[in-house]
Amino acid sequence: MKFTVKTGTPPDIATDCLVVPRGKAHTIAEKLGVEEQVLLALETTRNETGEVTKLALNGRPSRLLVVGKAQATSAADYRKDMAATAKALADLDVADATLCVGDFEVRDLGAYRKVRLALDAVSVASYRFDAYKSKKPKPRKLRRVGVVGINRVEARRATRDAQALLEGMELAKDLGNQPPNVCDPAFVAEAAQALAGDKVRVDVIDEAQMAELGMGAFLSVTQGTRKPAKLISVHYRGGAADAAPTVLIGKGITFDTGGTNMKGFAGMADMKFDMCGAASVLGVAKAVIAAELPINVVAMVAAAENMPGGAASRPSDIVTTMSGQTVEIQNTDAEGRLVLCDAMTYAERFTPRAVVDIATLTGAQVTALGHHASALYANDDALAAALSEAGERSADRMWRMPLWDEYQAQLKSNFADMKNIGGSAAGSITAACFLSRFAKAFPWAHLDIAGTAFGQGRSSGRPTPALFEYLLAVGANGG
Ligand code: BES
Ligand code: MN
Ligand code: ZN
């Protein structure tokens, strides 16, 4: 899918399909010389928010889509209109469509955001993952979507960003949707290596190197599987040579059986998605590279498989983390924090301006917030605010949760510096408390995305949109 900025006004726009708001349908139909046909068609539909009337015309454009209500709309209604438009476009039998974005009257939305909302909706609707269907569904016809009627500078910027996010979302969703017999840590490392290029260097650390670095927590998670673990860093240098990087760290458990504390049947079914944090980190890296953002980013992935077996770790094992702190593993199913803590200590060498880890970390997060908001934790208020505003702008929301000292007491161990679980109360919070002990050297935020990263057996690509929005803002503020 290619997004472009077009020029001209109807009827002088070269396109197969024109998309116009209900309020302008009459005027545009007049210009196209199809007034009668359009009026007749609209007579029989009320055209509420989120409704699209599809008309077939003689000549070019051969399709006219009339969207939404006659009056100006709110941003929320515009979102619904664009989602419906995108759905209609995805199934259309034409290769090219043009959205008359400038004709949509939306209260409280600037030109840039109007274009982004429209094109981001097209991205969502056009995604498919059919790599493993022996009979492929008929390929989508739509190849190009243009926007018209918007200030060219804003439209260009919005189109570039939407195109970049489309590519990032495709990677994030594809990685998430891949089956775990294919998408193992080596596969994730290859996907990261495919990002290497001009301003991009990719480092992959193997288990021997992890042992040398003293990553006892990370290594305890991978000791039960035959799949070698990988610690991946994608270095993107688009900013000034001396600008501190933003470090993103994704949990990349390519399958989470729970280990010795094995999950039950119901709990294990979706655990191929336990690498969705990693997928979103690589996805947003791809978007940042495509958009050539003027910032420095290190996108890290802690990739491993959590399996039971003769070599697996046991509940009550004690390991030493790279930070020197010791951990009593009371539950081998709380493995995400064990790989992340060592990755976080490793990140100190990049002297980051901020570190954000992204993880399908706890079932408790799903209990607390359901599937609408990711849980946000931070040791820095400005970082928390910037992330949460980015989440609002991109409709990829997060909700801040407390990291109060009182909760830290639940991690007390009889024998080690801490244990890796905090009991049944406030499970998402105590997981974040565990991670906070490895975040003393930098501003840090943690996103628990267990409820938002996937649903109905499919990856959602979240929180790639929010992370991209956050990094766009970092760039706009000078890196
Ligand atoms: N990967 C799971 C968390 C998860 C659950 C993600 C549901 C997505 C949907 C994580 O590794 C895990 O097993 N967490 C345990 C922690 C517990 C043992 C303290 C959990 O949430 O039950
Ligand atoms: Mn687990
Ligand atoms: Zn897990």
PDB file of all heavy atoms in Angstrom, residues 243-267:
ATOM      1  N   ALA A 243      23.780  12.952  20.915  1.00  0.00           N
ATOM      2  CA  ALA A 243      22.444  12.900  21.543  1.00  0.00           C
ATOM      3  C   ALA A 243      22.215  11.528  22.174  1.00  0.00           C
ATOM      4  O   ALA A 243      22.411  10.497  21.527  1.00  0.00           O
ATOM      5  CB  ALA A 243      21.361  13.181  20.503  1.00  0.00           C
ATOM      6  N   ALA A 244      21.828  11.532  23.454  1.00  0.00           N
ATOM      7  CA  ALA A 244      21.583  10.271  24.156  1.00  0.00           C
ATOM      8  C   ALA A 244      20.403   9.544  23.517  1.00  0.00           C
ATOM      9  O   ALA A 244      19.411  10.177  23.146  1.00  0.00           O
ATOM     10  CB  ALA A 244      21.305  10.544  25.633  1.00  0.00           C
ATOM     11  N   PRO A 245      20.506   8.220  23.379  1.00  0.00           N
ATOM     12  CA  PRO A 245      19.427   7.489  22.708  1.00  0.00           C
ATOM     13  C   PRO A 245      18.247   7.190  23.631  1.00  0.00           C
ATOM     14  O   PRO A 245      18.393   7.129  24.850  1.00  0.00           O
ATOM     15  CB  PRO A 245      20.107   6.174  22.317  1.00  0.00           C
ATOM     16  CG  PRO A 245      21.113   5.954  23.391  1.00  0.00           C
ATOM     17  CD  PRO A 245      21.614   7.328  23.781  1.00  0.00           C
ATOM     18  N   THR A 246      17.083   7.002  23.016  1.00  0.00           N
ATOM     19  CA  THR A 246      15.951   6.400  23.710  1.00  0.00           C
ATOM     20  C   THR A 246      16.104   4.894  23.539  1.00  0.00           C
ATOM     21  O   THR A 246      16.283   4.422  22.411  1.00  0.00           O
ATOM     22  CB  THR A 246      14.623   6.846  23.077  1.00  0.00           C
ATOM     23  OG1 THR A 246      14.575   8.271  23.064  1.00  0.00           O
ATOM     24  CG2 THR A 246      13.437   6.295  23.857  1.00  0.00           C
ATOM     25  N   VAL A 247      16.074   4.162  24.653  1.00  0.00           N
ATOM     26  CA  VAL A 247      16.199   2.711  24.569  1.00  0.00           C
ATOM     27  C   VAL A 247      14.832   2.076  24.791  1.00  0.00           C
ATOM     28  O   VAL A 247      14.130   2.400  25.755  1.00  0.00           O
ATOM     29  CB  VAL A 247      17.207   2.173  25.606  1.00  0.00           C
ATOM     30  CG1 VAL A 247      17.256   0.649  25.568  1.00  0.00           C
ATOM     31  CG2 VAL A 247      18.600   2.736  25.345  1.00  0.00           C
ATOM     32  N   LEU A 248      14.439   1.212  23.861  1.00  0.00           N
ATOM     33  CA  LEU A 248      13.203   0.438  24.007  1.00  0.00           C
ATOM     34  C   LEU A 248      13.609  -1.015  24.226  1.00  0.00           C
ATOM     35  O   LEU A 248      14.519  -1.506  23.552  1.00  0.00           O
ATOM     36  CB  LEU A 248      12.350   0.544  22.742  1.00  0.00           C
ATOM     37  CG  LEU A 248      12.009   1.954  22.251  1.00  0.00           C
ATOM     38  CD1 LEU A 248      11.268   1.874  20.913  1.00  0.00           C
ATOM     39  CD2 LEU A 248      11.156   2.685  23.281  1.00  0.00           C
ATOM     40  N   ILE A 249      12.965  -1.691  25.161  1.00  0.00           N
ATOM     41  CA  ILE A 249      13.294  -3.099  25.423  1.00  0.00           C
ATOM     42  C   ILE A 249      12.012  -3.921  25.355  1.00  0.00           C
ATOM     43  O   ILE A 249      11.064  -3.673  26.113  1.00  0.00           O
ATOM     44  CB  ILE A 249      13.938  -3.295  26.809  1.00  0.00           C
ATOM     45  CG1 ILE A 249      15.141  -2.355  26.988  1.00  0.00           C
ATOM     46  CG2 ILE A 249      14.365  -4.750  26.991  1.00  0.00           C
ATOM     47  CD1 ILE A 249      15.795  -2.447  28.369  1.00  0.00           C
ATOM     48  N   GLY A 250      11.970  -4.894  24.449  1.00  0.00           N
ATOM     49  CA  GLY A 250      10.764  -5.709  24.301  1.00  0.00           C
ATOM     50  C   GLY A 250      10.937  -7.089  24.899  1.00  0.00           C
ATOM     51  O   GLY A 250      11.971  -7.734  24.687  1.00  0.00           O
ATOM     52  N   LYS A 251       9.924  -7.541  25.629  1.00  0.00           N
ATOM     53  CA  LYS A 251       9.906  -8.934  26.087  1.00  0.00           C
ATOM     54  C   LYS A 251       9.657  -9.824  24.878  1.00  0.00           C
ATOM     55  O   LYS A 251       8.644  -9.676  24.189  1.00  0.00           O
ATOM     56  CB  LYS A 251       8.806  -9.140  27.141  1.00  0.00           C
ATOM     57  CG  LYS A 251       8.580 -10.610  27.518  1.00  0.00           C
ATOM     58  CD  LYS A 251       7.518 -10.779  28.601  1.00  0.00           C
ATOM     59  CE  LYS A 251       7.179 -12.258  28.821  1.00  0.00           C
ATOM     60  NZ  LYS A 251       6.116 -12.457  29.834  1.00  0.00           N
ATOM     61  N   GLY A 252      10.577 -10.747  24.638  1.00  0.00           N
ATOM     62  CA  GLY A 252      10.458 -11.607  23.465  1.00  0.00           C
ATOM     63  C   GLY A 252      10.436 -13.077  23.828  1.00  0.00           C
ATOM     64  O   GLY A 252      11.281 -13.847  23.374  1.00  0.00           O
ATOM     65  N   ILE A 253       9.481 -13.463  24.663  1.00  0.00           N
ATOM     66  CA  ILE A 253       9.326 -14.891  24.978  1.00  0.00           C
ATOM     67  C   ILE A 253       8.527 -15.507  23.829  1.00  0.00           C
ATOM     68  O   ILE A 253       7.322 -15.248  23.689  1.00  0.00           O
ATOM     69  CB  ILE A 253       8.625 -15.102  26.343  1.00  0.00           C
ATOM     70  CG1 ILE A 253       9.454 -14.486  27.480  1.00  0.00           C
ATOM     71  CG2 ILE A 253       8.387 -16.599  26.597  1.00  0.00           C
ATOM     72  CD1 ILE A 253      10.850 -15.100  27.696  1.00  0.00           C
ATOM     73  N   THR A 254       9.210 -16.274  22.977  1.00  0.00           N
ATOM     74  CA  THR A 254       8.565 -16.744  21.745  1.00  0.00           C
ATOM     75  C   THR A 254       7.518 -17.820  22.022  1.00  0.00           C
ATOM     76  O   THR A 254       6.619 -18.027  21.221  1.00  0.00           O
ATOM     77  CB  THR A 254       9.601 -17.249  20.720  1.00  0.00           C
ATOM     78  OG1 THR A 254      10.362 -18.300  21.329  1.00  0.00           O
ATOM     79  CG2 THR A 254      10.533 -16.117  20.293  1.00  0.00           C
ATOM     80  N   PHE A 255       7.650 -18.495  23.178  1.00  0.00           N
ATOM     81  CA  PHE A 255       6.526 -19.277  23.708  1.00  0.00           C
ATOM     82  C   PHE A 255       6.714 -19.424  25.206  1.00  0.00           C
ATOM     83  O   PHE A 255       7.809 -19.719  25.680  1.00  0.00           O
ATOM     84  CB  PHE A 255       6.390 -20.654  23.053  1.00  0.00           C
ATOM     85  CG  PHE A 255       5.028 -21.241  23.330  1.00  0.00           C
ATOM     86  CD1 PHE A 255       3.910 -20.796  22.646  1.00  0.00           C
ATOM     87  CD2 PHE A 255       4.868 -22.211  24.323  1.00  0.00           C
ATOM     88  CE1 PHE A 255       2.641 -21.294  22.939  1.00  0.00           C
ATOM     89  CE2 PHE A 255       3.595 -22.718  24.614  1.00  0.00           C
ATOM     90  CZ  PHE A 255       2.485 -22.263  23.912  1.00  0.00           C
ATOM     91  N   ASP A 256       5.614 -19.209  25.929  1.00  0.00           N
ATOM     92  CA  ASP A 256       5.659 -19.265  27.393  1.00  0.00           C
ATOM     93  C   ASP A 256       4.796 -20.410  27.905  1.00  0.00           C
ATOM     94  O   ASP A 256       3.590 -20.270  28.053  1.00  0.00           O
ATOM     95  CB  ASP A 256       5.178 -17.921  27.975  1.00  0.00           C
ATOM     96  CG  ASP A 256       5.238 -17.903  29.497  1.00  0.00           C
ATOM     97  OD1 ASP A 256       5.851 -18.820  30.080  1.00  0.00           O
ATOM     98  OD2 ASP A 256       4.680 -16.950  30.092  1.00  0.00           O
ATOM     99  N   THR A 257       5.447 -21.554  28.150  1.00  0.00           N
ATOM    100  CA  THR A 257       4.706 -22.684  28.747  1.00  0.00           C
ATOM    101  C   THR A 257       4.509 -22.477  30.244  1.00  0.00           C
ATOM    102  O   THR A 257       3.710 -23.168  30.867  1.00  0.00           O
ATOM    103  CB  THR A 257       5.473 -24.002  28.587  1.00  0.00           C
ATOM    104  OG1 THR A 257       6.733 -23.876  29.290  1.00  0.00           O
ATOM    105  CG2 THR A 257       5.733 -24.345  27.129  1.00  0.00           C
ATOM    106  N   GLY A 258       5.285 -21.549  30.816  1.00  0.00           N
ATOM    107  CA  GLY A 258       5.330 -21.388  32.268  1.00  0.00           C
ATOM    108  C   GLY A 258       6.580 -22.040  32.846  1.00  0.00           C
ATOM    109  O   GLY A 258       6.980 -21.738  33.963  1.00  0.00           O
ATOM    110  N   GLY A 259       7.191 -22.968  32.090  1.00  0.00           N
ATOM    111  CA  GLY A 259       8.368 -23.680  32.614  1.00  0.00           C
ATOM    112  C   GLY A 259       7.941 -24.749  33.604  1.00  0.00           C
ATOM    113  O   GLY A 259       6.871 -25.359  33.435  1.00  0.00           O
ATOM    114  N   THR A 260       8.732 -24.966  34.649  1.00  0.00           N
ATOM    115  CA  THR A 260       8.399 -25.987  35.655  1.00  0.00           C
ATOM    116  C   THR A 260       7.026 -25.692  36.278  1.00  0.00           C
ATOM    117  O   THR A 260       6.232 -26.609  36.501  1.00  0.00           O
ATOM    118  CB  THR A 260       9.492 -26.032  36.741  1.00  0.00           C
ATOM    119  OG1 THR A 260      10.758 -26.227  36.091  1.00  0.00           O
ATOM    120  CG2 THR A 260       9.234 -27.154  37.738  1.00  0.00           C
ATOM    121  N   ASN A 261       6.724 -24.444  36.524  1.00  0.00           N
ATOM    122  CA  ASN A 261       5.376 -24.036  36.964  1.00  0.00           C
ATOM    123  C   ASN A 261       4.482 -23.956  35.731  1.00  0.00           C
ATOM    124  O   ASN A 261       4.024 -22.875  35.329  1.00  0.00           O
ATOM    125  CB  ASN A 261       5.401 -22.675  37.649  1.00  0.00           C
ATOM    126  CG  ASN A 261       6.131 -22.706  38.979  1.00  0.00           C
ATOM    127  OD1 ASN A 261       7.322 -22.398  39.027  1.00  0.00           O
ATOM    128  ND2 ASN A 261       5.447 -23.081  40.034  1.00  0.00           N
ATOM    129  N   MET A 262       4.247 -25.098  35.136  1.00  0.00           N
ATOM    130  CA  MET A 262       3.595 -25.098  33.823  1.00  0.00           C
ATOM    131  C   MET A 262       2.161 -24.568  33.883  1.00  0.00           C
ATOM    132  O   MET A 262       1.428 -24.829  34.836  1.00  0.00           O
ATOM    133  CB  MET A 262       3.595 -26.489  33.220  1.00  0.00           C
ATOM    134  CG  MET A 262       3.551 -26.422  31.703  1.00  0.00           C
ATOM    135  SD  MET A 262       3.137 -27.959  30.963  1.00  0.00           S
ATOM    136  CE  MET A 262       4.636 -28.828  31.213  1.00  0.00           C
ATOM    137  N   LYS A 263       1.807 -23.832  32.858  1.00  0.00           N
ATOM    138  CA  LYS A 263       0.462 -23.273  32.746  1.00  0.00           C
ATOM    139  C   LYS A 263      -0.544 -24.381  32.453  1.00  0.00           C
ATOM    140  O   LYS A 263      -0.174 -25.429  31.920  1.00  0.00           O
ATOM    141  CB  LYS A 263       0.412 -22.259  31.591  1.00  0.00           C
ATOM    142  CG  LYS A 263       1.169 -20.970  31.829  1.00  0.00           C
ATOM    143  CD  LYS A 263       1.068 -20.054  30.620  1.00  0.00           C
ATOM    144  CE  LYS A 263       1.875 -18.784  30.804  1.00  0.00           C
ATOM    145  NZ  LYS A 263       1.396 -17.909  31.873  1.00  0.00           N
ATOM    146  N   GLY A 264      -1.818 -24.115  32.720  1.00  0.00           N
ATOM    147  CA  GLY A 264      -2.879 -25.044  32.339  1.00  0.00           C
ATOM    148  C   GLY A 264      -3.223 -24.883  30.868  1.00  0.00           C
ATOM    149  O   GLY A 264      -2.661 -24.033  30.182  1.00  0.00           O
ATOM    150  N   PHE A 265      -4.171 -25.679  30.391  1.00  0.00           N
ATOM    151  CA  PHE A 265      -4.508 -25.657  28.964  1.00  0.00           C
ATOM    152  C   PHE A 265      -4.974 -24.272  28.524  1.00  0.00           C
ATOM    153  O   PHE A 265      -4.532 -23.750  27.516  1.00  0.00           O
ATOM    154  CB  PHE A 265      -5.609 -26.685  28.673  1.00  0.00           C
ATOM    155  CG  PHE A 265      -5.151 -28.086  28.857  1.00  0.00           C
ATOM    156  CD1 PHE A 265      -5.790 -28.934  29.753  1.00  0.00           C
ATOM    157  CD2 PHE A 265      -4.049 -28.573  28.143  1.00  0.00           C
ATOM    158  CE1 PHE A 265      -5.354 -30.240  29.926  1.00  0.00           C
ATOM    159  CE2 PHE A 265      -3.615 -29.874  28.314  1.00  0.00           C
ATOM    160  CZ  PHE A 265      -4.262 -30.711  29.212  1.00  0.00           C
ATOM    161  N   ALA A 266      -5.890 -23.699  29.283  1.00  0.00           N
ATOM    162  CA  ALA A 266      -6.454 -22.419  28.879  1.00  0.00           C
ATOM    163  C   ALA A 266      -5.387 -21.328  28.886  1.00  0.00           C
ATOM    164  O   ALA A 266      -5.304 -20.521  27.968  1.00  0.00           O
ATOM    165  CB  ALA A 266      -7.603 -22.036  29.811  1.00  0.00           C
ATOM    166  N   GLY A 267      -4.545 -21.327  29.903  1.00  0.00           N
ATOM    167  CA  GLY A 267      -3.550 -20.271  30.049  1.00  0.00           C
ATOM    168  C   GLY A 267      -2.463 -20.293  28.999  1.00  0.00           C
ATOM    169  O   GLY A 267      -1.822 -19.276  28.745  1.00  0.00           O
TER     170      GLY A 267
END
